[in-house]
Amino acid sequence: MDITTQFTDLRLHGMHRRWQALTETRQHLDLSLSDGLELLLEAEAEDRDNRRFQRLARNARFRYQASIEELRMDASKGMDKTLISRLATGDYLRRGESVLVTGATGCGKSFLASALGNRACMQGYKVAYFNLQKLLIKIKMARLEGTNLKFFEKLAKTDLLILDDFGLTTFGQQHCLDLMELTEDRHARRATIIASQLPVASWYDLFAEETIADAILDRLIHTSHRVELTGESLRKKL
């Protein structure tokens, strides 16, 4: 059995491609055993990292295929380069902190949230991206099917939960309870990004239950990172 066949059988795809490149250019003849192994192992590690990223990004279901590098760091629009750079390191993910992104329709909130989520996937974290209204419907359907506990457990284990379009409608009592369970499961354990058209100070008015509103927002706002975007809608420029 030749080397390429063994690479294939063992599913060492990165090694296989690097070996093919080395043999086609005959560079393998000039390498020592240790140097050759180092190149092959590096190629395999890179391949596995890339395939893991592709899988995580696909499962996250981002609204936009965005990256940190594509962001326009315009301070006049509320884009704090220092803050975004700090978030890009992923430290907030390790600390289980929240990121609150606010601003008018079309100013880039969802794009920024997607870019941060994309970076989290690159760092190996599991991410889930939801329109909040659709998530609440999913939770309602899971409750009717008797799978809501399993669904909440899955969300609780997600390293980064992104909730977009927060505050488009007010929250009834059951919605308040569902959001309370979500935030309680994640508080100081897993990171959450919330994107909203409304300023954070107006979020209290969205909840039917004031006591629950205090509990939810205290957990979300405490130790949160704020990004307040301003300026004209980007969509008007398309």
Side-chain angles (χ1 to χ4, degrees), residues 102-109 165 168 196-198 229 231-236:
T102 58
T105 300
C107 67
K109 301 184 300 298
D165 294 324
L168 291 184
S196 175
Q197 296 178 26
L198 300 176
L229 300 180
E232 185 180 12
S233 171
L234 298 175
R235 295 171 190 169
K236 295 180 179 179

Side-chain angles (χ1 to χ4, degrees), residues 46-90:
E46 289 173 4
D47 180 73
R48 293 190 179 193
D49 286 345
N50 183 61
R51 285 190 284 120
R52 179 179 60 178
F53 164 70
Q54 295 294 339
R55 182 179 67 256
L56 291 171
R58 182 173 60 252
N59 292 339
R61 300 180 182 276
F62 296 120
R63 176 173 290 186
Y64 297 107
Q65 297 302 314
S67 66
I68 295 293
E69 291 72 23
E70 294 176 279
L71 297 174
R72 295 180 60 185
M73 299 300 176
D74 188 342
S76 67
K77 304 295 184 182
M79 291 293 286
D80 184 334
K81 184 177 181 179
T82 300
L83 174 58
I84 301 302
S85 297
R86 187 164 68 247
L87 293 174
T89 67

